[in-house]
Amino acid sequence: MSQPPEVHSAWLPPSAFRALGSRRIRIEGRGLLVDTVRSEVAQACASFGGRICEPGEPADLVLDASVTSSEGFRIGRLGESTVVAADGPAGLLHGLFEVVRRGEAAFDPALAEERHEPALPLRVLDHWDNVDVHPVMGQVERGYSGGSIFWRNGRLREDLTRVRGYARLLAATGINAVTVNNVNVHTTETHLLTDGLGQVATLAGIFRAYGIRVHLSVNFAAPVILGDLDTADPLDDAVRQWWKRTTERVFEAIPDFGGYLVKADSEGQPGPFTYGRDHADGANMLAAALAPYDAVVRWRAFVYNHRQDWRDRTTDRARAAFDHFAPLDGRFDDNVIVQVKHGPMDFQTREPVSPVLFAMPYTRLAVELQVTQEYTGQQKHVCYLPPMWSSLPLRSAAGLTAVSSVGDDPFWTGHPLAQANLYAVGRLGWNPGLDPLAVLDEWISLTFPGLREVLHDLMDDSWQTYEQYTAPLGVGFMVRPGHHYGPDVDGYEYTPWGTYHFADRDGVGVDRTVATGTGFAGLYPKPFSQLYESRATCPDELLLFFHHVPYDHVLQSGTTVIQHIYDTHFAGAERVAGMRERWLSAAGPVDPAVHARVAERLDEQLRSAEEWRDQINTYFYRKSGIPDAKGRTIH
Ligand code: GCV
């Protein structure tokens, strides 16, 4: 059995720098990020025989940074040279990685001039890393790639080489911020804001060299937990002063600190409701403390009642973020960004876009995605997510934020192919208009250049395949409670978490219509509200999210709901079997360590897909009594 490499080079293997490193390169500009560019170029030249030219010398590539803080740059030809003319040092770094992505094509004499700049100013990866190992959640909450790359044995790791490597990888995708601790802020992590701040400053120093600013998740009750006050009331003067002083010290230690991330009044985290205040009061208190600096409060809209009575059909978790936040539109300060999960429930494989994203025109909003595959196969299943993300209204957002999938695993993401989701989230934050499959192609070309065909075969439709063998038609969940891996159709049905499918002998799905259900469909602007309200026009893939329908209801596709369930579950598992075969036949050109890791994960994906297929099909056959029209084995 071949051993995995110590640390996989992901999308920046030395060979990706060949075209650049074999040329004459002139670098003009000043500052930390220009120095980073210079050292990247020097390293590439040392490997491939190129050299850094003196000022005024002719060069094949000119990297020129002006002095603004903008991240944009132009790339084009001037005479015999390719020129990256950047607005400032950050733009130069992004321009350098644009040259790397293009390889030889960057030096084509016919290269057309292009301007590049990020569509979204804030592009963040949020780590749900705990400093300590949490007794239930482990060190990285919903982490499937080993321990934290930042923290170990209750403090910052001594060897931070991987953090530097990570910063470099992220910068190459366009990410410009990282949150270094979990949004569930436990006691040790609450101290990162004060006595643990030196450790955050060390991380900030590493990320700074790659144009990435560090953010902290903070505990709303920090003034109480840290023992300084007996209240965290956001309208109390002493509390406001506490945050102001504490924030001043943060900026003394980290002058380019990016801001606070807050999960409040959600799943047991403290928040303003304790004091009879609302979320605008809470967010604006932190905004006031941050106002003197160029920094933001990201306040999560993921607020819902996780102690719901399952007997109560009127409470709908999907409504919660809208009901809490839409009425507050216009009340948040300018340096507050309300961070909204992309769907109204919780990072399911298929959800409609959250209606909050259309309901707060006077508030800065960020969309939150989950790169860590909590509900999408936990990095044991191949599931390339950008085709899902590309349907989101990202362009209009103030930021794109994503829960990171990275740990201390040699491949960074556990499943080597899960790296593609991490790569893509940065690229889509920079340019949401990119075609998800073109981004995949880019990632393959950089990371596994010899595997273009096989990886497209495995990955292009992998999200749709995953959807086929898991919860049907947008109904969601049906996973094992707690760890959320593998099928358990009724696992959450009689729990307080608000995630139900309501299957009975006649039908399945959640009635969220205005006419007879929870009214959730009516929270969308027209025409979406009308589209979702009617069974006839609701897209098939969301039918059970919006409607409770009989098993013999005929979908727009022409098949019945029950037959669709059978067909997709057989097809999905079969596709996974095909993916496994395809990978096994590709053994020749693949690094044996990569081949072994992917093969082992595909074995598990197939086992799991068959388990999903059999449990879901059997469950619905037993409920409905309707046999499979094609007579396949159902247990
Ligand atoms: C960090 C889901 C996850 C939790 C996570 C939460 C959140 O409920 O299961 O682990 O907590 O989302 O986004 O805050």
Side-chain angles (χ1 to χ4, degrees):
M1 188 81 168
S2 50
Q3 293 302 311
E6 217 169 279
V7 179
H8 189 244
S9 53
W11 48 89
L12 292 181
S15 57
F17 290 79
R18 187 184 306 277
L20 178 118
S22 53
R23 289 186 154 83
R24 297 167 305 167
I25 300 156
R26 205 168 73 224
I27 303 169
E28 288 167 15
R30 258 186 227 164
L32 178 66
L33 296 183
V34 179
D35 293 344
T36 301
V37 168
R38 200 168 278 119
S39 92
E40 288 285 341
V41 169
Q43 205 180 323
C45 289
S47 308
F48 297 105
R51 71 183 177 84
I52 298 185
C53 305
E54 296 302 321
E57 251 192 281
D60 306 307
L61 175 64
V62 178
L63 298 168
D64 182 10
S66 184
V67 291
T68 76
S69 61
S70 150
E71 296 175 296
F73 62 90
R74 279 184 182 283
I75 182 168
R77 294 288 289 180
L78 190 65
E80 300 293 296
S81 315
T82 290
V83 177
V84 172
D87 299 350
L92 195 72
L93 186 66
H94 295 299
L96 170 80
F97 288 120
E98 178 68 24
V99 173
V100 172
R101 265 192 299 278
R102 289 176 184 238
E104 277 302 327
F107 301 95
D108 184 339
L111 180 75
E113 179 163 330
E114 284 177 5
R115 163 117 186 127
H116 293 250
E117 60 193 356
L120 308 182
L122 186 62
R123 307 172 301 279
V124 198
L125 279 168
D126 291 335
H127 278 253
W128 286 356
D129 295 18
N130 299 311
V131 175
D132 289 326
V133 176
H134 186 269
V136 180
M137 287 298 171
Q139 191 178 23
V140 180
E141 181 154 348
R142 310 306 178 188
Y144 311 104
S145 314
S148 168
I149 57 168
F150 306 136
W151 316 105
R152 189 174 203 169
N153 298 331
R155 52 164 298 111
L156 190 66
R157 279 174 178 266
E158 278 176 14
D159 181 357
L160 296 170
T161 320
R162 286 204 66 166
V163 178
R164 195 177 168 79
Y166 182 52
R168 186 170 175 259
L169 286 172
L170 294 189
T173 71
I175 291 290
N176 65 359
V178 160
T179 311
V180 296
N181 65 308
N182 190 0
V183 287
N184 291 330
V185 189
H186 311 290
T187 308
T188 306
E189 294 77 11
T190 304
H191 284 264
L192 291 175
L193 183 62
T194 52
D195 38 315
L197 191 59
Q199 302 170 74
V200 184
T202 302
L203 287 175
I206 296 172
F207 281 112
R208 182 176 301 125
Y210 282 92
I212 294 171
R213 292 170 70 183
V214 159
H215 292 221
L216 259 189
S217 297
V218 294
N219 189 316
F220 188 79
V224 178
I225 291 174
L226 296 173
D228 296 332
L229 297 175
D230 56 11
T231 176
D233 181 349
L235 299 191
D236 182 294
D237 236 14
V239 174
R240 298 175 75 83
Q241 284 307 318
W242 186 93
W243 278 106
K244 197 164 172 291
R245 275 194 320 273
T246 303
T247 304
E248 276 163 16
R249 286 190 207 117
V250 170
F251 280 88
E252 276 160 26
I254 311 169
D256 59 348
F257 180 69
Y260 296 140
L261 171 62
V262 189
K263 172 177 178 177
D265 292 316
S266 171
E267 300 183 335
Q269 292 297 300
F273 286 164
T274 308
Y275 308 97
R277 314 298 183 193
D278 63 31
H279 283 249
D281 296 329
N284 290 344
M285 170 190 63
L286 296 179
L290 287 165
Y293 314 98
D294 167 28
V296 290
V297 184
R298 280 181 294 133
W299 190 272
R300 296 178 87 220
F302 182 60
V303 178
Y304 72 101
N305 175 9
H306 72 291
R307 299 210 176 94
Q308 189 181 325
D309 183 346
W310 60 267
R311 299 164 193 84
D312 162 23
R313 298 282 288 249
T314 60
T315 305
D316 180 4
R317 175 168 161 181
R319 292 191 61 115
F322 186 102
D323 289 344
H324 285 300
F325 284 85
L328 302 179
D329 188 30
R331 282 204 35 222
F332 291 97
D333 288 349
D334 289 349
N335 56 344
V336 174
I337 294 181
V338 173
Q339 179 160 313
V340 185
K341 284 194 181 184
H342 67 80
M345 291 296 281
D346 198 355
F347 297 137
Q348 296 304 290
T349 310
R350 177 78 73 170
E351 290 188 45
V353 174
S354 170
V356 178
L357 296 171
F358 308 106
M360 302 186 69
Y362 302 107
T363 306
R364 294 172 75 197
L365 298 176
V367 180
E368 181 176 310
L369 310 175
Q370 203 184 35
V371 181
T372 193
Q373 292 174 230
E374 176 176 1
Y375 293 100
T376 53
Q378 304 201 349
Q379 283 130 258
K380 293 183 173 123
H381 297 224
V382 181
C383 190
Y384 180 62
L385 294 165
M388 157 166 46
W389 302 334
S390 63
S391 66
L392 299 167
L394 296 179
R395 233 171 229 300
S396 52
L400 180 64
T401 73
V403 185
S404 178
S405 53
V406 160
D408 63 5
D409 167 73
F411 290 102
W412 299 94
T413 51
H415 201 311
L417 306 188
Q419 286 177 11
N421 289 326
L422 190 67
Y423 177 84
V425 86
R427 296 287 290 135
L428 291 172
W430 182 278
N431 180 0
L434 290 172
D435 169 7
L437 295 186
V439 174
L440 177 61
D441 200 56
E442 236 177 64
W443 173 78
I444 297 173
S445 309
L446 290 165
T447 313
F448 296 117
L451 296 176
R452 199 148 173 256
E453 236 179 89
V454 65
L455 290 186
H456 276 295
D457 286 352
L458 255 67
M459 297 175 77
D460 284 6
D461 298 324
S462 52
W463 166 57
Q464 291 88 338
T465 301
Y466 185 81
E467 179 181 33
Q468 282 191 311
Y469 60 80
T470 55
L473 296 166
V475 77
F477 290 88
M478 299 190 168
V479 289
R480 280 273 140 128
H483 58 61
H484 299 167
Y485 185 74
D488 187 347
V489 182
D490 281 338
Y492 273 112
E493 201 56 16
Y494 307 102
T495 70
W497 294 93
T499 53
Y500 314 118
H501 56 67
F502 301 118
D504 57 27
R505 65 179 186 172
D506 301 316
V508 56
V510 190
D511 184 353
R512 293 192 162 107
T513 62
V514 176
T516 54
T518 68
F520 172 79
L523 305 183
Y524 288 87
K526 285 180 187 159
F528 299 105
S529 51
Q530 295 159 321
L531 192 86
Y532 294 144
E533 178 74 14
S534 151
R535 282 181 192 185
T537 54
C538 182
D540 283 352
E541 65 274 13
L542 289 171
L543 186 70
L544 303 185
F545 191 97
F546 284 102
H547 297 273
H548 185 91
V549 297
Y551 293 114
D552 60 3
H553 172 82
V554 178
L555 295 168
Q556 294 181 40
S557 68
T559 182
T560 61
V561 166
I562 190 73
Q563 194 56 41
H564 172 92
I565 292 175
Y566 297 148
D567 288 349
T568 51
H569 285 76
F570 282 114
E574 208 174 300
R575 277 163 82 164
V576 176
M579 286 159 68
R580 186 175 162 279
E581 286 310 308
R582 182 75 179 92
W583 182 252
L584 294 180
S585 71
V590 191
D591 167 358
V594 174
H595 194 270
R597 177 66 75 92
V598 174
E600 157 217 310
R601 303 267 153 153
L602 280 165
D603 286 349
E604 167 53 21
Q605 183 172 359
L606 181 58
R607 185 209 62 75
S608 176
E610 289 176 349
E611 188 63 30
W612 271 101
R613 174 196 68 196
D614 292 341
Q615 283 203 30
I616 298 272
N617 284 347
T618 303
Y619 180 94
F620 283 106
Y621 173 58
R622 289 182 187 173
K623 280 270 173 198
S624 69
I626 304 174
D628 171 29
K630 296 174 189 156
R632 291 162 291 194
T633 305
I634 294 179
H635 302 273

